Amino acid sequence: MPLRATLVFIAAFLFGCGRPDSDSIRLTGWIASPIEENLTRTFIDTFEQRHPGLPVRYEPITANYMDKLLLMLATGTAPDVVMIEAFWIPLLVEYDVLLPLDGFLVRDPGFFPDDFEPMLLDAFRSNGALYGLPKDYSTLALYFNPAMFAEAGLAEPPRTWEEFAEYARRLTRDTDGDGSVDQYGYSHAEDLEYSLPFVWQNRGEYLDAQGRAAFGEPAFAEALGFLQRMKTDGIAVMPSDVGAAWNMDAFGRRRVAMAISGLWAANFLNETHAGTPYRAALLPAGKKAASVAFVAGYAVPKRTRNPDRAWQLLRYLTGREGGRIWVKSDVGLPARRSIALESKIERDPLKRVFLQSLDHARIWQFRVNQRVLDETQSVLQAIFLTGAAVQSTLDDLKRRVERGGQFHADVRGHESQSRSGPPR
């Protein structure tokens, strides 16, 4: 069987889609949580009520989202509207599988694209064209347990790296008096996106202005060295060190007093560790403040058979009415400024922290191939799990990726839910 025919057959088998009713607008996305799943179905119900001639067929992908979506995009079997993280825009534009949306915006003056936070909208641009629209976002912030802080005589969250390390030291304790530590100050996740805020705060870069590897530079190594020393000093742990699935699981189990995550972690804590108190604060700053912003949105495949119908659903999902539905969850903050103001985000003691972090955040998005990401992840694991020497390990990584040739293309296999913890 020819390769193309094989791919089409596999796609049809995996998704049971064949050739659906042409009257339906097909929609897909990843399943992040019951809350977001229910909100999506609310979207569909309200959209169909307002557009009785435009039924929606929802086809969520339960696992390996990007692997399956890439297969469908390559074979022309993708739904008409697809959920996408901004991280993937450079790859999908390079593959030429997304439909530019600029023409729809020109013909639809009532959509008000200027209402979006500019940096969030720009995350879906490439070479001047717009290939998606944001629905929500989250930055990274510091979660801390106020009860543990009070027991250690701490009232406010740490503001600098020095305070961060000192707080972690004071919060690392033998709480039951058996002679062994059972509470640690901080749990770090070895994923790149959780180390990047420290790198950027130290004026370091993962890539330089020309898109070349910069992770061998001293500023990058110094940031990772700071985090590694916290672990070596016994005041920080990796989730696996305390039998946790991810860093917020360690926090929820009260094995650590501080952990870094996005707004999505609030739902996890409320559902899984309801008895654990928590608050959030801006990340402790190094030479400057920095955070990472994760942006989720929707796009239309280039080979859709229903571009005009797809636009109707897309504009609803990312429009003002759609924004009012998304804001009901703690999955992310609204991408539209009018919705953020209307819902008084700045008055919410938790959400306003993530909103304030946007002022010094950078989008989680790199145009690098999967080999570079995989090798970076292996190096971070070696540094944080085995105590490998930071500078020499990073120097070796730089040599390997440069010797490997192609640096930018062929980004495959990286999960859309790349950050630690339950997928959004």
Side-chain angles (χ1 to χ4, degrees):
M1 181 183 292
L3 176 61
R4 179 177 174 79
T6 301
L7 290 174
V8 172
F9 174 79
I10 293 173
F13 175 77
L14 285 174
F15 306 105
C17 56
R19 280 296 181 188
D21 184 351
S22 60
D23 290 336
S24 296
I25 309 171
R26 296 170 59 212
L27 168 68
T28 192
W30 58 82
I31 296 178
S33 68
I35 290 177
E36 192 165 6
E37 181 77 0
N38 291 335
L39 285 178
T40 299
R41 297 192 182 278
T42 299
F43 266 115
I44 294 171
D45 291 343
T46 54
F47 176 81
E48 290 179 334
Q49 291 170 11
R50 287 159 178 72
H51 304 82
L54 297 176
V56 177
R57 175 170 167 168
Y58 183 40
E59 302 171 5
I61 296 175
T62 58
N64 301 320
Y65 182 79
M66 280 308 300
D67 287 341
K68 294 176 181 178
L69 180 60
L70 285 170
L71 176 61
M72 289 192 289
L73 289 168
T75 57
T77 59
D80 302 294
V81 179
V82 299
M83 189 185 292
I84 199 72
E85 241 187 342
F87 182 92
W88 285 98
I89 291 301
L91 163 71
L92 298 179
V93 170
E94 187 168 330
Y95 283 178
D96 193 27
V97 293
L98 296 182
L99 186 69
L101 303 176
D102 304 271
F104 293 106
L105 296 181
V106 170
R107 297 190 297 271
D108 194 345
F111 183 67
F112 304 112
D114 292 343
D115 188 30
F116 289 107
E117 287 284 353
M119 71 178 295
L120 305 182
L121 191 63
D122 287 345
F124 291 88
R125 293 190 192 278
S126 180
N127 299 320
L130 186 67
Y131 291 92
L133 291 168
K135 73 177 182 71
D136 64 6
Y137 74 95
S138 178
T139 53
L140 291 180
L142 180 72
Y143 282 82
F144 65 96
N145 186 314
M148 291 180 179
F149 268 49
E151 291 170 359
L154 301 170
E156 299 296 328
R159 294 164 295 179
T160 66
W161 285 13
E162 292 75 15
E163 287 186 354
F164 184 44
E166 177 58 25
Y167 277 35
R169 193 175 307 280
R170 292 175 61 175
L171 289 160
T172 299
R173 308 171 64 196
D174 170 14
T175 61
D176 57 13
D178 67 353
S180 62
V181 174
D182 46 35
Q183 173 187 300
Y184 295 87
Y186 171 63
S187 177
H188 189 64
E190 69 267 20
D191 303 270
L192 174 60
E193 54 267 44
Y194 287 88
S195 295
L196 276 176
F198 295 92
V199 171
W200 290 337
Q201 288 178 11
N202 201 42
R203 304 191 188 282
E205 295 291 344
Y206 182 63
L207 305 177
D208 65 17
Q210 288 72 44
R212 297 172 303 199
F215 38 73
E217 299 301 315
F220 197 103
E222 289 170 2
L224 297 192
F226 167 74
L227 294 168
Q228 188 192 57
R229 283 193 301 276
M230 289 181 67
K231 186 173 189 298
T232 302
D233 291 346
I235 59 176
V237 291
M238 309 308 289
S240 59
D241 294 332
V242 291
W246 61 303
N247 62 337
M248 293 308 295
D249 184 37
F251 181 89
R253 293 169 183 258
R254 307 192 191 197
R255 297 303 309 277
V256 299
M258 297 183 290
I260 290 173
S261 194
L263 181 59
W264 60 83
N267 278 331
F268 170 76
L269 292 174
N270 295 339
E271 295 169 1
T272 310
H273 300 289
T276 299
Y278 64 88
R279 289 172 55 192
L282 298 177
L283 296 180
K287 296 174 183 176
K288 64 176 185 176
S291 184
V292 180
F294 304 92
V295 191
Y298 289 96
V300 176
K302 193 171 187 178
R303 295 169 69 179
T304 179
R305 294 179 300 155
N306 301 305
D308 292 328
R309 288 172 175 246
W311 170 249
Q312 290 299 313
L313 178 58
L314 177 61
R315 79 181 304 277
Y316 183 78
L317 289 167
T318 59
R320 289 178 174 172
E321 187 170 359
R324 294 186 182 99
I325 295 176
W326 283 125
V327 82
K328 295 177 182 178
S329 80
D330 286 333
V331 171
L333 297 178
R336 287 184 174 268
R337 290 176 290 189
S338 62
I339 303 302
L341 290 172
E342 178 183 299
S343 54
K344 298 179 173 59
I345 295 295
E346 75 282 355
R347 297 186 185 180
D348 186 299
L350 179 70
K351 292 181 179 180
R352 71 185 178 203
V353 174
F354 296 91
L355 177 65
Q356 292 165 356
S357 296
L358 190 63
D359 291 338
H360 50 257
R362 292 166 61 177
I363 300 294
W364 169 237
Q365 186 181 79
F366 291 114
R367 186 173 173 262
V368 296
N369 66 42
Q370 185 60 34
R371 177 181 61 85
V372 176
L373 290 172
D374 288 344
E375 295 215 34
T376 301
Q377 185 65 25
S378 296
V379 160
L380 293 175
Q381 290 173 346
I383 289 171
F384 293 125
L385 297 178
T386 70
V390 176
Q391 187 65 66
S392 61
T393 303
L394 291 174
D395 289 341
D396 182 61
L397 169 65
K398 191 171 188 295
R399 285 192 295 270
R400 290 202 310 274
V401 300
E402 290 177 344
R403 187 169 58 243
Q406 191 177 28
F407 190 78
H408 294 298
D410 192 29
V411 186
R412 293 183 181 274
H414 189 71
E415 277 298 294
S416 172
Q417 300 86 346
S418 57
R419 65 195 80 91
S420 296
R424 289 189 49 214

